[in-house]
Amino acid sequence: MANGINPKLSRVSLSSYISQNFTKAFLTIFLPLFFIGALVFIIRLSSLTSQFQVSFTEMAELFSYNIPLILFYTLPISFLVAIAITLLRLSTENELMALIALGVQARKLTQHLWIIAFLFSLLLLALSLIQIPQAKQQFSSFKARKATEAQLNVNPSQLGQKFGDFFIYIKEKKDDSMKDVIIYKKGDEQLSNQLFIAKEAKIINQDASIELTLNQGHGYTFEERSLKEIKYEDMQITKSLNSEGYNYKSIVEHWIKYSFNPKKKREILFFIFISLIPIIGLYIIASFSIINPRYQKNYAYHILGVTIVALYVIATSLKNQGSFLTLSLALIGTYIIGHALFHYKVTRYF
């Protein structure tokens, strides 16, 4: 203990002080970006209403599947901007100079921010490698389920509706029961034209298939020179859904499947690079945000814009034609550049 100050308490106080300033700056940037991203996805989701009916609750469910993706794209940018705002505010209000005068080195300040950057990268890796694949599968499963429900939704007195390969027309409908049903299927080279008329019918969803049961009707098969008629009490027409359903895969199965597709395989490079942006970009932004406002000009926001664009260009290049070797070189090279800039512009003076 020196001068009546507990060093341990000082470290905690400094860490808390930096965290509070970062949190305020981060929320100021993150919340508007998140709401803009959410609005974009809501507009995209609204186009699904032209394919099938979606209730407000189902729309909220669909939106929840896109939250991991929105977070993945907004968190790295929000983090870098928050770092610049936090360090610039400390610099311009001379709080940083006061801390340095009290013996707190600039490198020690960035160590607290590095811990935050590390936690952000862990969160982004979890989102990109676990949550986003799961959310995409849930979204696809939802669409497959709604497509199945759309096949069950046959409206009365409406032409052009289909049940599998059959065109269907009904006069009345109550729940799953229908009356005065006409079903037609155009023939091909092997099958004749088919027409079925029934007084009553019912659609039953059996998970793997949809069964249409016709009661008390007639069936006709006809070609150019022949016509055959049958009379039936009950007839079932079954449509399999196995080919149209969605089979959910575990995360391991998902990435194993992607590993056999070169284009899809490179997505993991993109995800990893974007996830590590908080770590590799921290020292680049800090190099131009820790300044003495009396002697140095503020170029932090210019560098911030250039850095964000450059990092996303690298990530896109990895996604298009990258490999694990180029990913490693890009990560190590960017990290080294950040440390070199930080040493040249900051640690030599502060």
Side-chain angles (χ1 to χ4, degrees), residues 292-338:
N292 188 331
R294 301 181 65 180
Y295 304 106
Q296 295 174 284
K297 290 185 178 181
N298 178 12
Y299 295 107
Y301 293 118
H302 302 83
I303 299 300
L304 176 66
V306 172
T307 301
I308 291 174
V309 171
L311 291 175
Y312 274 86
V313 167
I314 295 172
T316 304
S317 300
L318 290 170
K319 185 177 181 180
N320 293 332
Q321 50 186 9
S323 64
F324 282 100
L325 176 61
T326 54
L327 171 65
S328 302
L329 293 175
L331 290 173
I332 295 172
T334 306
Y335 193 74
I336 290 174
I337 290 173

Side-chain angles (χ1 to χ4, degrees), residues 266-296:
R266 286 194 292 269
E267 281 191 14
I268 193 172
L269 306 179
F270 176 83
F271 285 143
I272 292 175
F273 188 87
I274 294 295
S275 298
L276 296 179
I277 278 180
I279 292 177
I280 63 176
L282 169 63
Y283 285 103
I284 297 177
I285 303 303
S287 300
F288 295 87
S289 301
I290 298 177
I291 60 174
N292 188 331
R294 301 181 65 180
Y295 304 106
Q296 295 174 284

Side-chain angles (χ1 to χ4, degrees), residues 202-236:
K202 190 172 184 179
I203 291 181
I204 302 173
N205 184 5
Q206 297 182 330
D207 295 331
S209 63
I210 302 175
E211 184 179 277
L212 177 63
T213 302
L214 305 175
N215 306 115
Q216 302 178 27
H218 293 78
Y220 303 90
T221 57
F222 52 92
E223 300 175 346
E224 292 183 3
R225 297 183 180 181
S226 65
L227 173 64
K228 298 178 181 180
E229 179 184 5
I230 61 170
K231 185 178 179 179
Y232 59 86
E233 289 294 328
D234 297 292
M235 177 180 290
Q236 286 81 33

Side-chain angles (χ1 to χ4, degrees), residues 242-253:
N242 291 333
S243 59
E244 298 180 8
Y246 187 84
N247 296 320
Y248 189 84
K249 299 179 180 63
S250 67
I251 297 302
V252 175
E253 291 174 332

Side-chain angles (χ1 to χ4, degrees), residues 44-54 62 139 142-143:
R44 289 178 58 185
L45 291 175
S46 63
S47 63
L48 292 177
T49 57
S50 62
Q51 302 176 26
F52 39 71
Q53 294 181 348
V54 181
L62 280 174
F139 184 79
F142 179 91
K143 289 182 66 177

